[in-house]
Amino acid sequence: MGGPRQRCVLGALLVHVGREVTIDQLTGYLWNEDPPRTARSVIQVQVSHLRRLLPGRIATTSGGYVLEVDPESVDLHRFRRLRDEAARADSAEAIEFLDLALKCWRGIPFSGVGSDYLDDSVVRPIREERWSAVISWASHALELERHSDVVARLTSLSSEEPFSERLHEFLITALWKASGRAKALSVYEDFRRRLADELGVDPGHELLSLHSRILHEDVSPQGDVDPVEESVPDFRIRNDLPRDLPDFTGRGEALKNLEDFSLGDDGRAKICVITDSGGAGKTTTAVHFGYEIADRYPDGQIFIDLYGYTSNKEPLDPASALGSLLRAVGIEPEAVPESLAERSALWRATLRGRRVLLILDNAFSHAQVSPLLPSSSGTLTLITTRNELVGLSGARFLSLGMFDDDSSLELLRLILGDARVDSELEGAREVARFCGGLPLALRVIAGRMAGRPKWTFAHVIRRLVEQNRTFRELAVEGQSVEVAIDLSFQSLNPTQRRAFLLLGLMVGNVIELSGAAALFDTSVEDADDTLQELVGVCLLEEPQEDVYRAHDLIRAFALDRALAEFGHEEADRIKVRLSGFYLETAQRAAELLGPRVQERSEVSFSRYRVELSSRREAEDWFSLHQENLADAIEYFASRDHGEEAWRLADAVWRFYAVRGQMGLLVTSHERVLQISERQGNRRGRAVTLIGLGIAYYISGRFEESLRLLGEARTILEGLGDGRGVIRALANLGMVYERMGRFADSAAAIKEVLRYAEELRNPKVEALQWGNLAVLQQSLGEYKEALASAERAILISQGEQEGEIRARAKRVMGEAHTCLGNMDSAFQELDEAMELSSHLQLVGNRIYVHNSRGIAHRAAGRFDEAVREHGRALALAETSGDRSGDAEILTDLGVTQVEAARYEEAREGLDRALELAVERGERYIEARASLALGGIPGPFVDPGRARDLLAESVRIFEDLDLPEAEAARRRLQTLDAEPGPDVAPAF
């Protein structure tokens, strides 16, 4: 069998044996709703392969294909026949049929292949058939009192269906009958806890009823006597926990951490502080966990609200809190001491030797909770707070974080029902994203929708995004996201408040210390202190060292208050100051990434600077701020700061290109192009066209790239901008080379070199000597390529030297391979890879992997060669740099032909040829055609091979390349081609 696609197509035909499977069905099974343009061709290729395996079995219909085989030879259809036989038999015979039917199952159908649509429409229904048969078998087995058989089979199967109540009901029943109630109750408890932890639900009526019957078997009529109550009658055992939410979900990891912590035994009282912002679900998590472990704390589960962040209430002072706690456990009011110290001592003494769970909810400070903490080793105290409670030694700290997308959707499902969410799944996801995973926000939205069954998620989204309406929509009676945030805001001092409001105006999603100093207009040291204070009260997060962000809703709150406090005019000045800081820093960072043609803007926006001294530091800065920079470009453009917008876009293009951030590169430049055109800024337009041209080149859109770069060149020549013309020509040379227009490429590169020498710009010279080396290597001028690459290294200097050297060493490795100097080839390529990895030159790494593949092929090591080609393709896919895909696929195909792997070679070369034609890569088109035409007759039809070779001759002649002669010879000898066991020569 072939790969996943071939297995998927075969599986679909087997499921529908004797019935038509349409092309549309197969397309959905393979690719969901987003098939490639070549979907039909891919399916035809897979069916062609299958016909070789199953000759005469697959017929073509008007709409698709039919597989004709005996259904008894297909496990699924044999299973169904045996299951149907069992349905007509008595228990003794039925169980035999079902045993045989279930033996047909040897794994999950379609495992590792196909799409979500295949899973939903085919795989799940088939798996349901299996579980239905298992349940039928278990029912018959219990009727025949084969309890041990049921235990043996269902124990192993229960791990595959961990939430199936029916399956567990049969298993627990069998365990009860076979082994007694202890084991049955243990399995029940494991299942109940799994339902609660993972789904937030209780077992159904049937399982609860079974559990009750097991529990009441042989119960002593006297019942149990609580030893604590008998020995200490004045201690009042109580459960003060608030109601556990029936739709609790999404905190599996937090509950596991709490569980692990609570089970530890170090001989001391256990304290865990649960922190996060208002509305994160701290209280509901603590209460839910309290119910889960209540049986471990038989002396009481005590809950007290300390009102740390409660509207219209002052935080409860510790003396008052202790008075309430002491009276709660049975201390008479007149016996409660007056002083805080005495109350605290009595509280600790009262709990000594007891197993008590204490939840201190909504704590405000360390000073408030410290006197309330028990000292007995049998106690567990859970503290919920928005504050860090610095100084609370010996405590475990647990930050909840926000819900992920799955947990957010699960909460909506539990409140609104699966049908309502599934009917508008994308809308539900958008609402979940809008809420940012904040449980309170999700609950408020779901609560409003539950009371308004006509509301759709689309309607909710429209209401949420309306100006000044967000927080009104996130409020119902007794619950308000805005109030929850405001309670934290009101606790801030004036300096903290101002900083918090300024963060509402920040450009981008994160901010680091220097950016914060520019935003706050203060020193870096003072900014650091203030940011840490805001983290301490859970209004800000610190996802990595000295990098900060706010939850979307907290930031929306800050923005609303900031606009009210500062006004729109002042708010704009603040945003310009921060965006200008990003512009200045980005321009300095860009100079460390490679040669720049445009002069840096002389306008100063901020007195703060980020000191960058190396390429690595520049890349790290760009990596951290890439989203912020895109937002700054958008902000400049939206405020008609066109000059700043195009200069910032020009500063970031190289980083976006190197890291494969094509989406950010294209969207930022397209936005800048709009403002440059509207303002008549010709230089801004030309520079932006170059950036877009580079983006289209990397994406493989070569014709569009040529058009944009040519327009840019014309504009810059009209402006007399020699530096700009250099840049346009340099990139034109690169695109020409990829398209096989080598003469045009050489002319462009030589013109750039002339300009660079006139301007005395060694950085540009070094870069272009490297480009010339690439071109000479493509033309077969290997010694000249070596000389040009060495000259590029010699001229390069400073931060640029590493990148130039990495690219030049790659070309030198390729040239040595072609000259047969294999030791030198691998040495140069190894150095190129080491430098490229160190400098994070993803594009160069892709080509070095491919060049290593060519070198291994030349050395006769075909397996290593194929692996290196594969690594090149994989890295291209993950990075988004697809400019070399057709070339790499062609080189992989040539390697596979030389290794006599003709089937794989043909498939890969077909893909390469299709891609090259689509992109206008004529040189690669000719190479792929030559390689395909040289594959032996049984794998490529001789007529097609002749057409391919003729086309390769024509293209090579058009391009005036020496490969034309090899293609002509191959065409002339086609009729005398050796058999499939002999590899053709290239």
Side-chain angles (χ1 to χ4, degrees):
M1 282 299 297
R5 290 176 180 169
Q6 192 176 127
R7 298 201 304 275
C8 180
V9 172
L10 176 60
L13 293 171
L14 289 169
V15 167
H16 302 283
V17 160
R19 291 179 291 155
E20 180 188 58
V21 183
T22 67
I23 292 289
D24 288 344
Q25 280 180 288
L26 291 172
T27 301
Y29 293 159
L30 287 165
W31 295 288
N32 285 326
E33 297 178 355
D34 187 27
R37 291 182 300 100
T38 57
R40 181 177 289 270
S41 298
V42 170
I43 292 170
Q44 290 169 345
V45 168
Q46 303 308 323
V47 172
S48 176
H49 294 326
L50 290 172
R51 280 176 167 150
R52 295 195 193 105
L53 297 172
L54 299 165
R57 299 288 188 178
I58 302 176
T60 300
T61 65
S62 59
Y65 305 96
V66 174
L67 176 64
E68 297 289 355
V69 296
D70 181 3
E72 277 297 303
S73 67
V74 182
D75 48 16
L76 173 63
H77 300 291
R78 189 165 63 255
F79 160 80
R80 287 173 173 169
R81 180 187 62 77
L82 291 165
R83 177 200 61 191
D84 294 343
E85 292 281 354
R88 295 188 289 269
D90 60 24
S91 288
E93 290 183 329
I95 203 167
E96 300 300 327
F97 282 124
L98 289 169
D99 267 325
L100 292 171
L102 292 171
K103 286 179 181 177
C104 295
W105 285 80
R106 294 185 295 276
I108 299 174
F110 293 91
S111 179
V113 305
S115 64
D116 293 339
Y117 171 70
L118 174 71
D119 190 59
D120 291 337
S121 62
V122 177
V123 178
R124 288 185 184 178
I126 292 175
R127 296 188 71 188
E128 286 300 323
E129 291 184 52
R130 179 202 184 189
W131 291 116
S132 178
V134 169
I135 295 301
S136 295
W137 175 89
S139 178
H140 290 301
L142 287 177
E143 185 178 335
L144 297 171
E145 297 187 355
R146 290 172 55 176
H147 304 126
S148 296
D149 291 343
V150 175
V151 171
R153 171 165 269 162
L154 298 194
T155 297
S156 61
L157 292 178
S158 62
S159 62
E160 297 180 39
E161 285 290 317
F163 303 111
S164 171
E165 293 203 20
R166 190 70 171 147
L167 186 147
H168 282 82
E169 181 184 345
F170 280 115
L171 173 58
I172 292 166
T173 300
L175 284 167
W176 181 22
K177 301 297 184 184
S179 307
R181 69 177 186 171
K183 181 63 176 174
L185 289 173
S186 174
V187 171
Y188 171 85
E189 180 57 26
D190 288 344
F191 181 64
R192 183 200 67 77
R193 181 167 295 169
R194 189 181 310 121
L195 288 180
D197 287 349
E198 302 295 332
L199 304 180
V201 298
D202 294 325
H205 172 74
E206 292 80 3
L207 206 50
L208 288 172
S209 177
L210 173 62
H211 179 241
S212 178
R213 295 199 306 275
I214 298 172
L215 281 176
H216 289 87
E217 181 185 58
D218 301 327
V219 177
S220 170
Q222 286 77 23
D224 297 324
V225 178
D226 191 304
V228 176
E229 283 193 41
E230 195 172 77
S231 60
V232 190
D234 59 340
F235 185 86
R236 186 180 301 149
I237 297 174
R238 57 188 296 147
N239 182 334
D240 292 334
L241 299 182
R243 181 177 74 98
D244 189 17
L245 294 178
D247 48 23
F248 180 91
T249 190
R251 294 299 184 195
E253 184 177 352
L255 292 173
K256 184 179 185 305
N257 289 334
L258 287 168
E259 174 78 3
D260 294 344
F261 175 64
S262 68
L263 291 174
D265 186 11
D266 57 3
R268 295 182 295 179
K270 296 183 180 63
I271 304 166
C272 183
V273 181
I274 303 174
T275 68
D276 220 297
S277 58
K282 302 178 293 294
T283 301
T284 55
T285 301
V287 169
H288 184 81
F289 182 66
Y291 276 103
E292 284 197 345
I293 62 170
D295 57 348
R296 294 191 220 152
Y297 296 92
D299 296 329
Q301 304 90 44
I302 303 171
F303 178 96
I304 184 170
D305 188 345
L306 299 178
Y307 302 126
Y309 297 88
T310 303
S311 181
N312 300 319
K313 286 200 175 190
E314 292 295 319
L316 193 64
D317 67 86
S320 298
L322 282 168
S324 298
L325 290 169
L326 287 167
R327 290 189 294 273
V329 297
I331 304 298
E332 294 298 327
E334 60 272 14
V336 176
E338 289 295 324
S339 74
L340 174 62
E342 287 178 311
R343 290 186 178 192
S344 182
L346 178 59
W347 173 242
R348 291 193 298 271
T350 303
L351 296 186
R352 188 166 296 120
R354 301 185 185 279
R355 296 193 60 79
V356 171
L357 168 66
L358 174 64
I359 298 180
L360 302 177
D361 186 50
N362 202 4
F364 183 73
S365 66
H366 172 263
Q368 184 189 38
V369 301
S370 183
L372 281 55
L373 299 176
S375 58
S376 173
S377 61
T379 60
L380 170 63
T381 302
L382 303 179
I383 304 171
T384 70
T385 180
R386 305 182 190 189
N387 210 321
E388 285 185 316
L389 302 187
V390 177
L392 196 62
S393 59
R396 173 74 60 89
F397 288 82
L398 176 64
S399 179
L400 290 183
M402 298 298 111
F403 276 2
D404 59 19
D405 288 347
D406 289 342
S407 297
S408 297
L409 285 176
E410 181 62 24
L411 180 57
L412 294 175
R413 290 180 191 279
L414 289 171
I415 298 174
L416 299 173
D418 290 343
R420 194 167 177 186
V421 174
D422 289 338
S423 67
E424 204 183 349
L425 190 56
E426 281 308 310
R429 287 197 175 105
E430 189 170 349
V431 167
R433 286 192 290 269
F434 189 95
C435 294
L438 184 69
L440 175 60
L442 289 162
R443 285 191 177 279
V444 170
I445 290 290
R448 289 173 70 86
M449 292 185 69
R452 297 165 176 81
K454 298 293 185 183
W455 277 19
T456 64
F457 284 104
H459 176 71
V460 169
I461 292 163
R462 285 195 297 272
R463 294 176 67 90
L464 285 169
V465 299
E466 284 182 20
Q467 189 173 12
N468 300 322
R469 195 179 186 101
T470 297
F471 287 112
R472 279 187 286 163
E473 293 300 313
L474 294 175
V476 293
E477 187 175 354
Q479 291 183 313
S480 167
V481 173
E482 184 175 21
V483 169
I485 299 170
D486 188 54
L487 289 168
S488 295
F489 177 65
Q490 295 301 329
S491 72
L492 304 178
N493 64 38
T495 300
Q496 294 167 344
R497 284 193 184 193
R498 182 177 183 277
F500 177 72
L501 296 178
L502 289 170
L503 288 168
L505 299 172
M506 73 180 186
V507 177
N509 294 320
V510 299
I511 197 162
E512 41 73 55
L513 287 180
S514 296
L519 180 63
F520 298 164
D521 198 22
T522 185
S523 69
V524 170
E525 292 74 20
D526 286 345
D528 188 13
D529 291 342
T530 304
L531 291 168
Q532 285 298 320
E533 290 163 2
L534 292 174
V535 170
V537 294
C538 295
L539 286 173
L540 209 58
E541 304 169 27
E542 190 177 8
Q544 64 189 79
E545 185 179 350
D546 292 336
V547 177
Y548 303 87
R549 69 181 177 204
H551 186 279
D552 289 348
L553 291 173
I554 292 177
R555 188 170 165 194
F557 175 94
L559 176 59
D560 285 348
R561 297 299 176 92
L563 292 174
E565 177 78 15
F566 301 125
H568 287 274
E569 190 173 328
E570 177 62 18
D572 274 341
R573 279 197 290 268
I574 292 167
K575 285 193 167 188
V576 167
R577 184 171 70 223
L578 181 58
S579 298
F581 163 80
Y582 286 140
L583 170 59
E584 293 168 9
T585 310
Q587 288 182 320
R588 291 199 307 276
E591 291 171 356
L592 295 171
L593 295 188
R596 278 175 53 76
V597 173
Q598 298 301 322
E599 297 290 344
R600 194 193 304 171
S601 171
E602 297 301 324
V603 179
S604 180
F605 292 87
S606 171
R607 58 193 174 103
Y608 301 100
R609 290 172 58 94
V610 177
E611 297 302 328
L612 302 171
S613 59
S614 68
R615 180 192 180 95
R616 176 56 60 87
E617 288 179 359
E619 287 189 339
D620 289 345
W621 187 87
F622 273 125
S623 182
L624 175 63
H625 292 90
Q626 53 188 315
E627 298 284 351
N628 296 358
L629 296 169
D631 285 353
I633 292 169
E634 172 59 33
Y635 179 74
F636 278 138
S638 68
R639 292 298 186 270
D640 285 340
H641 295 290
E643 188 74 13
E644 289 76 15
W646 77 256
R647 287 186 180 277
L648 181 52
D650 182 56
V652 300
W653 77 265
R654 188 186 298 273
F655 174 79
Y656 285 158
V658 168
R659 291 297 178 87
Q661 296 283 2
M662 290 303 102
L664 288 174
L665 176 53
V666 171
T667 55
S668 61
H669 279 65
E670 287 179 342
R671 182 70 176 93
V672 169
L673 199 59
Q674 294 173 357
I675 185 68
S676 294
E677 288 176 347
R678 194 172 77 244
Q679 295 181 339
N681 189 328
R682 297 178 68 202
R683 177 170 278 105
R685 175 177 173 78
V687 171
T688 307
L689 286 171
I690 292 174
L692 272 177
I694 294 168
Y696 288 158
Y697 163 79
I698 294 172
S699 302
R701 297 159 64 179
F702 301 123
E703 290 290 350
E704 293 175 80
S705 179
L706 280 183
R707 178 178 60 80
L708 295 176
L709 293 169
E711 183 182 346
R713 176 186 179 181
T714 301
I715 295 172
L716 292 165
E717 285 177 339
L719 293 171
D721 185 350
R723 290 175 177 271
V725 172
I726 285 178
R727 185 177 173 197
L729 281 169
N731 287 290
L732 279 167
M734 181 173 61
V735 181
Y736 284 138
E737 186 274 333
R738 174 55 53 197
M739 297 178 73
R741 294 171 57 175
F742 298 125
D744 291 331
S745 179
I749 291 172
K750 289 173 182 176
E751 194 167 352
V752 171
L753 284 170
R754 181 179 62 79
Y755 265 110
E757 289 170 358
E758 287 179 4
L759 295 171
R760 297 184 180 180
N761 191 326
K763 290 184 178 181
V764 174
E765 275 192 76
L767 189 61
Q768 294 313 305
W769 278 110
N771 288 341
L772 184 59
V774 172
L775 179 61
Q776 290 166 330
Q777 164 65 22
S778 299
L779 291 169
E781 300 170 0
Y782 306 126
K783 292 182 180 179
E784 292 84 349
L786 285 171
S788 294
E790 287 169 353
R791 186 165 182 180
I793 292 172
L794 185 64
I795 296 173
S796 64
Q797 53 188 248
E799 282 293 324
Q800 179 198 18
E801 182 179 357
E803 181 175 354
I804 296 293
R805 186 177 184 87
R807 300 184 192 282
K809 287 292 180 179
R810 184 195 89 215
V811 177
M812 293 170 74
E814 294 168 352
H816 280 302
T817 298
C818 295
L819 291 169
N821 306 326
M822 300 313 301
D823 289 342
S824 297
F826 282 110
Q827 182 179 343
E828 303 288 14
L829 291 172
D830 286 347
E831 184 177 348
M833 181 61 76
E834 183 179 351
L835 280 168
S836 299
S837 299
H838 176 70
L839 297 173
Q840 300 184 57
L841 303 175
V842 179
N844 203 52
R845 282 174 56 204
I846 292 169
Y847 285 107
V848 175
H849 277 303
N850 192 55
S851 300
R852 279 177 163 178
I854 296 169
H856 281 301
R857 179 215 302 159
R861 296 192 289 266
F862 298 119
D863 288 341
E864 290 90 337
V866 169
R867 277 195 290 272
E868 287 290 351
H869 293 311
R871 287 173 184 139
L873 290 169
L875 185 55
E877 182 173 2
T878 56
S879 70
D881 185 345
R882 315 308 299 269
S883 60
D885 281 6
E887 177 182 351
I888 299 166
L889 284 167
T890 299
D891 287 323
L892 172 61
V894 171
T895 297
Q896 290 167 330
V897 169
E898 292 198 16
R901 301 177 185 179
Y902 302 122
E903 188 70 36
E904 297 170 65
R906 188 191 65 193
E907 290 184 10
L909 287 167
D910 272 333
R911 287 169 58 203
L913 181 59
E914 180 183 5
L915 200 56
V917 170
E918 177 185 310
R919 294 178 172 182
E921 294 183 72
R922 300 190 68 214
Y923 175 59
I924 301 302
E925 179 186 351
R927 286 191 59 214
S929 297
L930 175 60
L932 267 172
I935 295 177
F939 299 94
V940 174
D941 179 76
R944 186 188 179 210
R946 185 172 291 103
D947 292 341
L948 288 166
L949 291 170
E951 180 66 9
S952 70
V953 170
R954 187 182 67 79
I955 295 174
F956 283 136
E957 286 178 343
D958 286 349
L959 298 175
D960 195 23
L961 294 174
E963 286 97 326
E965 182 58 33
R968 275 193 295 270
R969 287 198 305 270
R970 187 78 191 104
L971 182 59
Q972 291 166 1
T973 58
L974 177 62
D975 291 335
E977 186 65 23
D981 58 330
V982 179
F986 287 95

